[in-house]
Amino acid sequence: MSGPAAGGPVLVAGAGVSGSAAALALRDSGATVFVSDDRPEALTALPEGVLAWTGPGLPAGVATVVTSPGRRPDHPLVAEAAAAGAEVIGEPELAWRLGELSGRPPAWLVVTGTNGKTTTTEMLAAILHGAGLDAVACGNIGHPVVSAVTAGHQVLAVELSSFQLHWSPSVRPFAGVVLNVAEDHLDWHGGADGYAAAKAAALVGDVAVAGVDDPVAARLLAAAPAPRRVGVTLDEPGPDELGVSGGMLVDRAFGGGELLSADAVVPPGPPGITDALAAAALARAYGVDAERIGVALTSFTPGPHRSAPAGTHAGVDYLDDSKATNPHAAAAALAAIAARRPDARVVWVIGGLLKGVAPDALGELAAAHAERLAGIVVIGTDRAPLLETLSRHTPDLPVEEVGQGHDGAMVLSDQRDPMPEAVRRAARLARPGDVVLLAPAAASMDQFRDYAHRGEAFAAAVAALGGGR
């Protein structure tokens, strides 16, 4: 790339967290940095030496555009860049190139998948830290990769979304895992094939790992160009796999033997165990001792908004899994409750932006769990297709719609917040011993800033009942 290497001009499109980090790294590398953003207020407090760009097209001489990860390939800016002969890359791609230019690039251990990325990345970072390595979790988890690279860390636990992988054509991780692949972001990628192809970019390094219980992930692993391919499974593992044997997580790919008891994994249940196996596989690929992996995973605590307790009221437990932004993640949340509390009924709070996912995926998921569901509360701007599919798949299940007076681009006041009404309706459907689960299976940006804001609103609504944490 001419910009960082030669001091040429670069346009950073988007002044968010990753864009700001990219601008600083480029400025410090000697590039002339312009930043654009659809929000004029975002350009009023740029770092010293970084220039705001508000004009049409690209600044003169720009050969590289660093885009925010969510910018679609059909965005007008991408067409403008192509017309000007400029390439468009993402912040992780910039981080990779700056690392290569440094002469001491860090090792990248990449985690992707439809569900479980953040938990697996957090588990991996905990293992690396426990092994005494200079490591950091970064990427889609919230800490820009370029910041981790410029800080000089030795090894990176990198969570990458399909968007970020799409815009990162040069990244060749030391090891990478695809946990699973289910319908998500199909509108962005133009279909399931494009989405899967983006995920497959994590498997082009020295060691490719995948959750082979997932048929799409298994297919991507079989086609991966990596010289070493390793599967993780909930079944008895084969010679190139990590899996579960006799109630223990076992490494039969790298010779690590027994790692820890499956009952010790948090979060419990099949999804948490798969995440732990994937984190262990990446750590073993990097050479971490099996004993250190077991110690780190035994003491691991997952981050917020991942089936986190939000409170108890009138004998009903409220769980916040706002991070479940697609049906696959919601299914994992429901499975985790079934594993922990097989006799508990669930009131499920769902809805938001479906991102091109077929509504019937939610209807079918509801039908699969109908015997354990006490009811469903539907929020979000994509309510209508959800209500329609639920009426066909679970016609006898109580369904509550939180609609009139609660729509809007974002929660700006208590009056526009759908959560108090959603929680009140869920409470009316529940009885002592039940669980109210926020696992929306949809994106949050229709009514909230992000999934964390949505989870915080849920917890606040539970607290208003008198059952806060």
Side-chain angles (χ1 to χ4, degrees):
M1 180 170 60
S2 61
V10 179
L11 174 64
V12 176
V17 174
S18 63
S20 297
L24 285 173
L26 286 163
R27 181 201 66 183
D28 293 345
S29 75
T32 301
V33 185
F34 296 89
V35 175
S36 66
D37 199 288
D38 294 335
R39 305 160 298 162
E41 66 274 12
L43 302 177
T44 59
L46 296 176
E48 183 179 355
V50 175
L51 307 173
W53 177 254
T54 59
L58 308 184
V62 164
T64 301
V65 176
V66 181
T67 180
S68 57
R71 194 179 308 278
R72 291 166 56 129
D74 59 359
H75 191 279
L77 178 64
V78 178
E80 292 173 356
E87 68 170 344
V88 180
I89 64 171
E91 174 263 324
E93 174 73 10
L94 172 67
W96 176 265
R97 297 185 188 189
L98 290 177
E100 293 294 298
L101 289 170
S102 73
R104 296 186 60 192
W108 288 46
L109 305 178
V110 168
V111 179
T112 195
T114 302
N115 179 44
K117 296 187 296 296
T118 300
T119 299
T120 303
T121 303
E122 290 174 338
M123 287 176 165
L124 176 59
I127 293 169
L128 298 172
H129 291 151
L133 295 168
D134 176 19
V136 66
C138 56
N140 197 53
I141 201 168
H143 182 54
V145 191
V146 73
S147 298
V149 169
T150 56
H153 292 289
Q154 174 188 2
V155 56
L156 310 182
V158 190
E159 176 186 339
L160 293 181
S161 69
S162 59
F163 303 159
Q164 290 169 313
L165 287 163
H166 175 88
W167 295 120
S168 301
S170 301
V171 171
R172 298 292 182 271
F174 175 77
V177 62
V178 175
L179 297 166
N180 42 61
V181 182
E183 285 192 355
D184 200 16
H185 303 300
L186 303 188
D187 52 349
W188 200 96
H189 290 282
D193 290 344
Y195 177 62
K199 294 296 189 186
L203 304 179
V204 297
D206 293 340
V207 182
V209 182
V212 294
D213 296 336
D214 181 281
V216 180
R219 188 167 67 248
L220 295 180
L221 180 66
R228 182 102 191 255
R229 291 176 290 193
V230 174
V232 297
T233 176
L234 295 172
D235 294 330
E236 186 84 20
D240 292 312
E241 294 180 337
L242 284 77
V244 181
S245 179
M248 300 293 292
L249 272 64
V250 175
D251 166 23
R252 290 183 181 156
F254 303 99
E258 293 185 346
L259 302 174
L260 74 158
S261 169
D263 290 339
V265 174
V266 178
I273 293 172
T274 297
D275 295 345
L277 288 167
L282 293 179
R284 291 291 293 147
Y286 193 67
V288 177
D289 290 342
E291 182 178 355
R292 291 184 181 272
I293 291 173
V295 170
L297 290 177
T298 300
S299 60
F300 174 76
T301 300
H305 312 297
R306 299 168 187 87
S307 291
T312 300
H313 176 68
V316 176
D317 292 329
Y318 292 77
L319 296 182
D320 163 21
D321 203 321
S322 185
K323 187 74 166 61
T325 59
N326 57 67
H328 196 273
L334 290 165
I337 295 174
R340 291 197 305 268
R341 299 175 56 177
D343 296 328
R345 301 189 314 159
V346 176
V347 179
W348 185 17
V349 181
I350 65 171
L353 291 173
L354 293 178
K355 303 174 292 183
V357 173
D360 276 355
L362 272 296
E364 292 164 3
L365 181 57
H369 290 268
E371 291 186 359
R372 301 190 65 250
L373 291 175
I376 296 177
V377 179
V378 181
I379 64 173
T381 57
D382 285 348
R383 296 186 310 278
L386 288 180
L387 293 167
E388 191 278 331
T389 191
L390 291 172
S391 71
R392 287 187 288 106
H393 286 90
T394 55
D396 298 326
L397 191 68
V399 175
E400 296 276 348
E401 177 189 6
V402 178
Q404 289 294 84
H406 298 279
D407 289 337
M410 184 179 293
V411 173
L412 300 175
S413 68
D414 290 342
Q415 287 70 37
R416 299 169 72 91
D417 185 349
M419 278 304 174
E421 181 63 19
V423 167
R424 284 192 293 268
R425 296 194 187 197
R428 289 198 293 266
L429 291 170
R431 67 190 184 198
D434 288 350
V435 174
V436 172
L437 171 68
L438 172 68
S444 58
M445 287 79 75
D446 55 338
Q447 295 178 312
F448 302 92
R449 289 190 302 273
D450 50 32
Y451 75 81
H453 182 204
R454 179 170 60 188
E456 291 159 4
F458 178 74
V462 175
L465 292 178
R469 288 172 294 215

